Amino acid sequence: MTTETQKKRKHAEHRTNLTFLLPYVAMFTIFIVVPISVAIFLSLTNFNTIETPDFIGLTNYVNLLTQDDVFMQYVIPNTVIFALIVGPGGYVLGFLLAWVLAQLPKVPRTILALIFYSPSMTSGVAMTVVWRIIFSGNETGYINSLLLRLGFITEPIVWTINADYILPIMILIGLWGSMGVGFLAMLAGVLNGDQELYEAAAIDGIKNRFQELIYITIPSMRPQMFFGAVMAIVGAFSNGLIGVQLTGANPVTGSYAGQLIVNHIDDYGFLRYEMGYAAAISVILLMMIYLFSYVAKQLFTD
């Protein structure tokens, strides 16, 4: 084969590769690059969704960090607390459930996996129908009814309005609905582990399931673990529906006790129509997600 023929074949292979990559590049550009670029541009403007955006530079960011007391005193702490509990908590819980389900036969494993996964798909409806009934503020609510019967309280507690309870309730519901695609990816990683590794490990002295988990299962499914970590981070930081569904209002409670950064974006973007300011908040959220995702990448990659 001549050098010229080899070059032509390589060029043809490159063209084929680029052809297969083109749909992904197009979708990534349309749904990722363009929206992020527009958000960054709008964050530098004063835009009310009707008039032409007025370029104001970094004013929105300066106001956000120096004059927005709600953002600094309530939104950021609430978001960080919620994300640090729901993210790692849901991640560890998802992995443990995936590992336990992998030990079961196929039929019960499939049924239980569907049960654990379904809240992540129907969380909005379920929160409205189930959780608002459970935490109803009158004596007919399940929690209030139980506590009244046991004598722990003498009058119903308005759970979703009380600033002391709204964030813990949101965290509880967030953990309940955290078994999403990351959980399925980790379940697939556990199920598709190389059985020869376990057989070799047994010969080398691995004696129980816990040692298998630490020395074989987790190291052999790093890609799935990393994917699950990123999905847990994104889900924890972008979850603002819970508080609004529970209380029926944004801001979440009058004291902002359950206000998360996504709620703050909705408040300024779709209630006050200060779209430039809302875009600045969304850029800050994107940076926070990227920072935590970068940390996760360092933990799960060499």
Side-chain angles (χ1 to χ4, degrees):
M1 183 180 296
T2 64
T3 304
E4 187 66 25
T5 303
Q6 291 178 344
K7 289 182 178 180
K8 289 182 178 179
R9 176 167 293 182
K10 287 183 179 180
H11 286 312
E13 291 177 354
H14 289 319
R15 285 195 297 270
T16 302
N17 294 337
L18 290 175
T19 301
F20 281 107
L21 285 174
L22 186 60
Y24 168 78
V25 172
M27 299 293 284
F28 182 81
T29 302
I30 294 172
F31 293 104
I32 303 295
V33 176
V34 173
I36 291 176
S37 301
V38 172
I40 294 174
F41 169 73
L42 290 179
S43 72
L44 304 175
T45 67
N46 181 18
F47 181 44
N48 60 7
T49 71
I50 298 176
E51 299 175 335
T52 303
D54 181 22
F55 185 80
I56 57 175
L58 298 176
T59 302
N60 286 328
Y61 294 98
V62 174
N63 293 339
L64 179 64
L65 299 177
T66 61
Q67 298 183 20
D68 193 338
D69 294 337
V70 172
F71 181 77
M72 299 303 295
Q73 293 181 17
Y74 301 102
V75 174
I76 288 295
N78 290 344
T79 303
V80 171
I81 292 172
F82 182 88
L84 289 181
I85 296 177
V86 173
Y91 177 74
V92 173
L93 183 61
F95 172 75
L96 292 177
L97 285 175
W99 182 74
V100 171
L101 291 181
Q103 317 306 316
L104 301 177
K106 183 177 180 180
V107 174
R109 179 176 67 234
T110 303
I111 295 173
L112 290 174
L114 181 59
I115 292 173
F116 289 129
Y117 178 67
S118 58
S120 67
M121 299 185 294
T122 61
S123 58
V125 176
M127 275 186 288
T128 302
V129 177
V130 178
W131 290 102
R132 291 188 68 175
I133 298 175
I134 293 175
F135 290 103
S136 177
N138 53 42
E139 63 276 4
T140 61
Y142 292 160
I143 300 297
N144 278 333
S145 177
L146 178 62
L147 294 178
L148 286 169
R149 290 181 181 180
L150 295 177
F152 290 110
I153 59 176
T154 57
E155 60 182 17
I157 299 174
V158 186
W159 299 97
T160 59
I161 303 299
N162 194 310
D164 296 330
Y165 299 118
I166 183 62
L167 188 59
I169 292 173
M170 292 169 57
I171 291 172
L172 173 64
I173 299 174
L175 289 172
W176 171 74
S178 62
M179 303 297 105
V181 293
F183 160 70
L184 295 182
M186 289 187 286
L187 178 60
V190 176
L191 291 174
N192 293 318
D194 189 351
Q195 296 301 316
E196 293 182 357
L197 293 176
Y198 294 94
E199 295 172 1
I203 297 174
D204 290 338
I206 295 294
K207 299 179 180 179
N208 53 57
R209 289 293 180 87
F210 180 76
Q211 290 180 326
E212 288 182 352
L213 179 67
I214 298 298
Y215 296 109
I216 302 175
T217 304
I218 294 178
S220 65
M221 52 178 291
R222 275 189 175 184
Q224 292 87 354
M225 297 286 287
F226 175 57
F227 176 78
V230 172
M231 296 305 297
I233 292 169
V234 173
F237 275 101
S238 61
N239 199 335
L241 179 64
I242 295 176
V244 175
Q245 287 284 346
L246 283 175
T247 63
N250 186 12
V252 180
T253 74
S255 59
Y256 299 97
Q259 190 80 345
L260 302 181
I261 193 169
V262 173
N263 304 127
H264 210 52
I265 294 172
D266 290 339
D267 183 16
Y268 277 91
F270 300 103
L271 299 179
R272 310 188 193 197
Y273 295 103
E274 297 181 22
M275 195 62 69
Y277 194 78
I281 304 174
S282 69
V283 172
I284 296 296
L285 174 60
L286 177 64
M287 294 173 62
M288 294 173 65
I289 293 175
Y290 177 80
L291 175 62
F292 280 87
S293 298
Y294 178 79
V295 173
K297 180 180 179 181
Q298 298 305 309
L299 293 174
F300 288 102
T301 58
D302 296 329

